[in-house]
């Protein structure tokens, strides 16, 4: 009798410790699971060289755009600088005309595709009372195209690390414009206006500050890649 009681008590303890059997996990509908697992991106950014640009810096720019903005970066073969953008009086190219030319390169791409042109020639735009103001880059606010020139970023230094820092920061800044970010006043934010000097570019963190990050999430939110690419099946 005593051995039977011990056996029954042991069985009861095991049952109490293990508790009721867990309910089977609810199945996630296939379409919901697919959307959760789908890669999330803000946009597709096409990189294209206008004329010439160091290949290693193109690699640096691609990595910076991917990590900073979570965009998909696609590359295209280099294209010639358009003659229509040449500004003979100052022997440089008009950035506004380059943006128009770049926009034409993605006219047939899915809606929302952006393009960043990279060039080594000097570029300029109109600014306030200045009809021809030399710039590091230019981007359409909330638009399609941006351009970065290395001409003013590396002409006074041979420091490769500094050159890469300046070029990638400028690229992140100009792509920020096409994603909807204007100039801001947050200390060391990558969206600070260069104001004709290199100081803000050199001192930048390389990323948008808290305020610009919040605006970025509102104006260019992360979405499934298929939706960004305009795949009808993703709707």
């Amino acid at each position: 009798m005593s051995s039977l009681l011990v056996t029954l008590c042991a069985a009861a303890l095991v049952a109490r410790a293990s508790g009721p059997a867990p309910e089977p996990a609810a199945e996630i509908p296939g379409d919901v699971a697919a959307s959760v697992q789908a890669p999330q991106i803000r946009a597709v950014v096409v990189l294209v060289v206008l004329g010439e640009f160091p290949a290693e810096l193109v690699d640096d720019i691609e990595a910076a755009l991917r990590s900073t903005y979570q965009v998909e970066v696609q590359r295209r073969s280099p294209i010639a600088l358009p003659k229509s953008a040449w500004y003979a009086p100052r022997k440089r190219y008009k950035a506004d005309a380059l943006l128009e030319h770049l926009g034409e390169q993605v006219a047939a791409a899915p809606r929302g595709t952006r393009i960043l042109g990279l060039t080594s020639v000097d570029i300029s735009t109109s600014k306030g009372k200045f009809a021809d103001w030399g710039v590091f880059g230019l981007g359409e606010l909330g638009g399609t195209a941006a351009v970065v020139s290395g001409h003013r970023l590396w002409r006074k230094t041979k420091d490769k690390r500094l050159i890469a820092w300046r070029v990638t920061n400028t690229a992140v800044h100009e792509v920020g414009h096409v994603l909807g970010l204007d100039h801001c006043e947050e200390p060391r934010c990558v969206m600070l206006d260069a104001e004709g000097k290199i100081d803000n570019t050199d001192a930048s963190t390389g990323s948008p500050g808290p305020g610009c990050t919040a605006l970025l999430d509102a104006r260019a939110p992360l979405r499934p890649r298929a939706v960004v690419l305009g795949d009808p099946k993703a709707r």
Side-chain angles (χ1 to χ4, degrees), residues 20-189:
E23 296 181 2
E27 292 187 4
I28 301 176
D31 56 343
V32 175
S35 64
V36 170
Q37 297 171 6
Q40 301 276 307
I41 61 174
R42 295 188 194 279
V44 173
V45 177
V46 175
L47 288 186
V48 62
V49 171
L50 292 163
E52 297 181 353
F53 197 82
E56 65 274 12
L57 293 179
V58 181
D59 294 338
D60 292 338
I61 289 170
E62 176 176 348
L65 294 179
R66 288 183 184 275
S67 62
T68 304
Y69 291 132
Q70 296 81 54
V71 294
E72 178 174 312
V73 178
Q74 299 176 359
R75 295 200 196 184
R76 292 194 182 177
S77 300
I79 60 176
L81 285 153
K83 293 181 180 180
S84 60
W86 176 244
Y87 185 61
R90 300 297 296 275
K91 296 183 179 180
R92 54 192 181 191
Y93 286 80
K94 283 291 190 178
D96 307 80
L98 293 178
L99 295 187
E100 183 177 350
H101 184 65
L102 287 166
E104 294 170 356
Q105 309 307 308
V106 293
R111 184 180 179 184
T113 299
R114 276 74 167 191
I115 185 168
L116 173 64
L118 306 171
T119 188
S120 297
V121 300
D122 196 15
I123 63 175
S124 62
T125 188
S126 300
K127 183 175 182 180
K129 63 180 182 179
F130 298 98
D132 190 65
W133 175 269
V135 292
F136 304 145
L138 188 68
E140 298 171 331
L141 182 60
T144 299
V147 63
V148 168
S149 165
H151 180 82
R152 294 169 182 269
L153 298 172
W154 60 52
R155 67 178 177 177
K156 292 184 179 181
T157 182
K158 294 183 179 180
D159 186 327
K160 292 185 177 181
R161 287 189 177 184
L162 180 58
I163 290 171
W165 182 251
R166 289 175 173 178
V167 168
T168 54
N169 279 356
T170 304
V172 169
H173 178 100
E174 301 305 342
V175 171
H177 282 323
V178 297
L179 293 177
L181 300 181
D182 204 341
H183 289 145
C184 79
E185 297 181 359
E186 294 182 62
R188 302 187 67 199
C189 173

